[in-house]
Amino acid sequence: MRVRTAVQGALCGALFAAQSASGLQLDISSANSIKQAAKTIANGMLNYYNGEDPGGIPGLLPPPYYWWEAGAMFGSLIDYWYYTGDDTFNRVTTDGILFQVGPDYNFMPPNQSKSLGNDDQAFWGLAAMSAAEVKFPNPPEDQPQWLALAQAVFNSQALRWNTEACGGGLKWQIYSFNVGYNYRNTISNGCFFNLAARLGAYTQNETFFRWAERSWDWVVEPSIGLVADNYRVYDGTHDTANCTNLVRVQWSYNAGVYLLGAATMWNQTTGADQEMWRARVQGLLDATIVFFYKGTNVMFEVACEPRGNCNVDQRSFKAYLGRWMAATTKVAPWTHDTIMPFLQQSATAAATSCSGGDSGTECGMRWTTGNWDGQLGVGEQMSALEVIQSNLIDNVQGPVSNSTGGISTGDSNAGTTGDDLIYTAPITTGDRAGAGIITAMLLVFIVGGAWWMVR
């Protein structure tokens, strides 16, 4: 082991201080400081978005970003308004979301159908759900409303619950011509569970709660094991093997999506059922420790960050863990004192990474280095934004429902017309090959990375 000398330590300390001074300034004890930092990061994130530019398409990020990440980005801007009260980004958020709703208002635009997965669709639906819960300003009356959009996503996905193999669950891909159709990934099923629980809480419609229970029971079934007995949440499984070949890679967003869904179910139950959900929430919360670096409270993406090989999608995953951990404190207040130190210290560490790019305030991927790591992008910005602004959670009210001040109009039949029709535009050899290469590379990475997972 090398011992760092006093001179080396002093030099490193001076370098760190210089980088911190020239980068993002954050005082985690000051609401104004958090708001200022959040706005700086949000502006930096939108520098990657050209949907408002001449010739741009509202709601789309440019390559290499996939369609789903734009929905996730708008979700973070809904959170920004919720936490700060600043409406600077409201118009671009509303315009971007509404432009991508598709002809059936369920976030299935035809130009995305050749690569559309249940998880992709769900992230847009979850953004709409958040908008309804926090009373984000409603769309114009002649446009689909937030709650109806979330219901449309749920309704269209409930139609896809598949019992042809594995006893249930959602497939990753929606259409059979897409490679990956036979993979049942956890994030698709987790988003469905999360959305069902939150729709149940908002509408008090028991159907949503029953679907949430059904979805939970499926993922914890020992023969499936996507959520293990120790509450570690794994990546997915293949239905061609009747879901017997579990891919044991852990991603932070999978843990987060189940944590908030389970916390919402705790909030909506009583008696023995509530105690059961409390145990599940606690188990999931305890298992998230794998996403905090070597016993610290600083969040990191365990399956790829140590090797520096996180892909474009994975660089955003910490955003969702931070988002859903903060939301959990509102629906399950007894988790607050456990969760907040993680969010506070992760935010402080994230801010130290925001010292890159031309502005000197763009954020990196690794928050454990004490400085910018040389990486830039939408995911890096979104992750820092969510974990920093989440520290305002104590200053805002929890999610509303239609009986506690909700202002969004729903539609119980949304998304059920035409959704189960197969997209009929011709699929070229190039389309198939491109989808196959992308998916094959992803699955190779997932399986290849499983052996070195931190246990």
Side-chain angles (χ1 to χ4, degrees), residues 173-197:
Q173 299 296 325
I174 295 172
Y175 299 116
S176 60
F177 53 68
N178 286 327
V179 178
Y181 180 72
N182 293 317
Y183 193 60
R184 304 207 178 188
N185 65 337
T186 300
I187 192 60
S188 292
N189 287 280
C191 287
F192 182 70
F193 165 70
N194 182 299
L195 185 58

Side-chain angles (χ1 to χ4, degrees), residues 209-232:
F209 292 132
R210 301 291 80 78
W211 268 106
E213 291 169 350
R214 183 180 188 182
S215 178
W216 173 270
D217 289 345
W218 182 75
V219 297
V220 300
E221 166 62 37
S223 63
I224 304 299
L226 295 180
V227 177
D229 290 343
N230 60 5
Y231 294 98
R232 293 192 175 185

